[in-house]
Amino acid sequence: MDTTSQRRRSEPAQTTARTAAVTAEGTAAVTAAVTVEGAGAGGGVPAWLVARGLLPETSPKRAFAAATFINQIGKGLFISGAALFFTRSVGLPVAQVGFALGTAALIGLAAGIPVGHLADRRGPREVFRLAIVVQALAVAALVVVRSVPSLIAVLCVAELATAAGQAARGPLTRALGAPNPTRYRSYLRALNNIALGCGALAAGAAVQLDTRAAYVSLILATAVAFLVSAALISRVPSVAPLDAPAQGGRWLALKDRPYVVLTVLDGIMSIQTQVLIFALPLWIIGHTQAPRWFVGASVAVNTALVVCLQVRVSRGVDNNAAAGRAARRAGAAFLLATALIAAAGGAPGWIAVAVVVLGVVVHTVGELWHSAASFELSFGLAPEHAQGQYSGLFAIGQGLSGAVGPPLLGLVCIGWGEPGWLVMGVLFLAAGQVVPLVVNWSDRLRAHNPG
């Protein structure tokens, strides 16, 4: 009993030691390139930008941040205008476009684990860069699509490349962000929200013109953004893979029961990402007296809070135990938020607005806690030599939440009304309370079987 307690108390130190070992063995090139250029004369970056956290302190981090920013601008362009391109420019029926998008998304999930394993063996930077190039070529090919079968084929290639990029990006982010990768990932998440907004605004110009040439330009601009992102990735040092132990087999992630359970729990909690962009707009318009323009305002409040607070909220979430506690707090915040949103139903207009704003703020705080916990645990509970493979498995849970979330929220929150919102809140709460137990379970198994 005393030995087990000592192991648990030393968990943060063990985490730091593991991170240091990875930095020494697997990221030698990154370490060699990581010099603080922004804080001194001749570095080319004003020191105050680094000191205030507006720019990362090292050249590799800045290059990767620039690459992801450009990539997310392309993503914002695509998600804001692709559906209209398929229907208004190509002329395909809405139902068939929806079927093609859904089919491609599900097929893309299958790439996560094998491509993550490839990233572990070949290096995440190389796999990530190749995935972005393939994604760019697939998106560019959409301009010649004329039928549903060809649309499905091209979208499947694009989604497979997207899933591959997600599986490889996680280990690369962790290596670059050491010794505090959660903080660096939080910075990237805030940056990505800005980039998505920029892409969406730019897509609005094509939508307003509503011509074939405008939509084709939008698609090609997306492809160009991806290619620029791939070029910037070339400036990021390569991360050498770690040797895998002989025992344990190839697909370790699928055999890791605590990690599989964590993936399911995180998938359940990730349904919260659909609350503000899917369920809340329907609720505001159909079940409250709040003005219609408030739909966009509620999303803007969420985006602004994420940009401003993500890095700050992630501080201290730097080991498995802290991440488990953050997930528990996130579940409680989601329950309170859903209760507030439910209370806005039938309330007078400006009271409904005030209650929904409060609900959005509380939900966003829960979202920030969940995001920090999710990233830390997805790597903290995975072996260092199989980070990509585990990242691929973890992404499956998050991907399925995007497919399951809208119909589930539509049935429960919109169909059942106020009680449905509370049911979803309790589901989020329960999932969050179980996460720390899974963390302890994983730590116990690892203590008995360190290899």
Side-chain angles (χ1 to χ4, degrees):
M1 180 68 70
D2 293 339
T3 301
T4 302
S5 300
Q6 292 172 358
R7 283 173 177 157
R8 290 181 181 174
R9 285 194 299 269
S10 64
E11 189 273 340
Q14 292 171 347
T15 300
T16 302
R18 288 197 302 269
T19 302
V22 174
T23 303
E25 298 180 29
T27 63
V30 174
T31 304
V34 172
T35 57
V36 181
E37 301 176 2
V45 176
W48 67 271
L49 291 176
V50 176
R52 295 189 179 186
L54 299 178
L55 282 179
E57 67 276 13
T58 65
S59 178
K61 286 183 179 181
R62 290 195 291 270
F64 188 68
T68 55
F69 184 79
I70 299 298
N71 185 280
Q72 291 299 306
I73 288 179
K75 182 178 178 181
L77 284 169
F78 188 78
I79 63 177
S80 300
L84 290 171
F85 167 76
F86 299 141
T87 55
R88 298 188 64 80
S89 179
V90 181
L92 299 176
V94 174
Q96 293 181 4
V97 170
F99 173 77
L101 290 170
T103 301
L106 291 176
I107 291 176
L109 291 177
I113 297 178
V115 174
H117 178 71
L118 180 64
D120 291 327
R121 304 282 64 83
R122 300 295 183 183
R125 188 199 70 169
E126 288 70 20
V127 174
F128 184 50
R129 183 175 54 190
L130 177 60
I132 295 176
V133 171
V134 172
Q135 189 180 9
L137 296 176
V139 169
L142 289 172
V143 300
V144 299
V145 164
R146 291 293 183 273
S147 65
V148 173
S150 61
L151 175 62
I152 292 176
V154 174
L155 284 178
C156 283
V157 174
E159 286 293 339
L160 286 169
T162 300
Q166 290 176 342
R169 181 176 57 201
L172 185 56
T173 302
R174 186 166 182 83
L176 288 170
N180 191 352
T182 299
R183 179 178 175 84
Y184 180 54
R185 193 262 186 178
S186 297
Y187 170 83
L188 293 178
R189 186 168 186 263
L191 198 66
N192 289 346
N193 274 271
I194 299 174
L196 285 171
C198 292
L201 289 174
V207 173
Q208 180 65 33
L209 293 174
D210 197 31
T211 63
R212 168 73 180 174
Y215 286 120
V216 168
S217 298
L218 184 149
I219 295 299
L220 293 179
T222 300
V224 169
F226 291 157
L227 289 176
V228 172
S229 176
L232 289 170
I233 288 297
S234 299
R235 300 178 58 188
V236 176
S238 180
V239 178
L242 297 179
D243 293 332
Q247 72 276 14
R250 172 177 290 186
W251 307 116
L252 295 176
L254 296 175
K255 300 176 184 178
D256 192 329
R257 289 177 295 171
Y259 200 89
V260 171
V261 173
L262 175 67
T263 297
V264 173
L265 292 173
D266 187 77
I268 292 173
M269 296 191 73
S270 293
I271 294 174
Q272 59 84 15
T273 60
Q274 303 294 322
V275 168
L276 299 187
I277 63 176
F278 177 80
L280 184 59
L282 296 176
W283 182 253
I284 290 175
I285 293 175
H287 297 267
T288 76
Q289 298 180 28
R292 290 177 177 268
W293 58 262
F294 186 62
V295 169
S298 63
V299 176
V301 169
N302 169 260
T303 301
L305 290 174
V306 169
V307 170
C308 295
L309 299 179
Q310 181 67 76
V311 174
R312 179 173 299 180
V313 171
S314 69
R315 291 173 183 168
V317 185
D318 53 7
N319 59 70
N320 294 340
R325 293 192 294 270
R328 177 180 289 163
R329 293 195 299 270
F334 292 145
L335 174 59
L336 177 57
T338 54
L340 288 168
I341 293 172
W350 290 105
I351 294 180
V353 167
V355 173
V356 170
V357 166
L358 184 58
V360 169
V361 171
V362 174
H363 181 95
T364 303
V365 172
E367 177 185 341
L368 298 175
W369 278 330
H370 171 245
S371 175
S374 178
F375 181 78
E376 180 64 30
L377 291 175
S378 67
F379 295 100
L381 298 187
E384 301 294 357
H385 66 274
Q387 294 279 306
Q389 182 185 148
Y390 274 68
S391 177
L393 172 61
F394 202 75
I396 291 178
Q398 296 178 334
L400 289 176
S401 72
V404 173
L408 179 62
L409 292 171
L411 171 65
V412 177
C413 296
I414 307 304
W416 297 357
E418 287 88 346
W421 283 98
L422 297 178
V423 168
M424 286 305 306
V426 170
L427 178 62
F428 293 143
L429 175 68
Q433 301 309 300
V434 177
V435 169
L437 303 180
V438 175
V439 172
N440 292 336
W441 178 24
S442 179
D443 287 344
R444 286 197 302 270
L445 290 181
R446 188 171 300 176
H448 287 95
N449 185 19

